[in-house]
Amino acid sequence: MSETLYVRAAALSDLEEDTPKRVEIDGVPVSLVRTEGEVFAINDICSHANVSLSEGEVEDCAIECWLHGSSFDLRTGKPSGLPATRPVPVYPVKIEGDDVLVSVTQES
């Protein structure tokens, strides 16, 4: 089993509440979302269409794809409605001081 490698993705102070921020970690597009007192990392590409999720709205711990309206749970990556049927990967997050650390080596 491989060790979980965390990489600094952003400064916590740079993340606005309910405003997704797109970052790239080791070539993986990731949307960082600060909401409900937590920070989540979810793959930035919608599983239904090749669209950036970080351009969508955040509400009730979910991110909505702006193109077709599918929402994905930030905790699990599971879609809550059509047209998306496949989940998107979510990644573990650690906060150390003002650093947001994300591991894209281990999907949950």
Side-chain angles (χ1 to χ4, degrees):
M1 194 160 131
S2 64
E3 181 184 337
T4 304
L5 176 67
Y6 284 87
V7 176
R8 184 182 186 278
L12 184 61
S13 56
D14 287 345
L15 299 180
E16 294 180 41
E17 187 77 11
D18 295 334
T19 302
K21 179 178 179 72
R22 186 182 206 274
V23 297
E24 201 164 288
I25 303 169
D26 295 335
V28 178
V30 174
S31 182
L32 297 176
V33 180
R34 183 178 191 170
T35 188
E36 299 181 11
E38 291 186 66
V39 176
F40 298 93
I42 188 167
N43 192 285
D44 192 46
I45 305 302
C46 178
S47 63
H48 169 255
N50 191 16
V51 174
S52 174
L53 290 176
S54 62
E55 295 175 29
E57 301 286 321
V58 173
E59 190 174 333
D60 297 329
C61 213
I63 191 167
E64 182 182 61
C65 177
W66 62 270
L67 187 60
H68 296 115
S70 287
S71 281
F72 297 90
D73 188 305
L74 291 169
R75 297 167 291 242
T76 64
K78 292 182 178 157
S80 61
L82 297 174
T85 57
R86 291 184 327 244
V88 292
V90 294
Y91 307 104
V93 175
K94 285 197 306 193
I95 307 297
E96 290 183 359
D98 191 48
D99 292 334
V100 178
L101 307 173
V102 178
S103 173
V104 293
T105 57
Q106 181 181 1
E107 296 175 6
S108 59

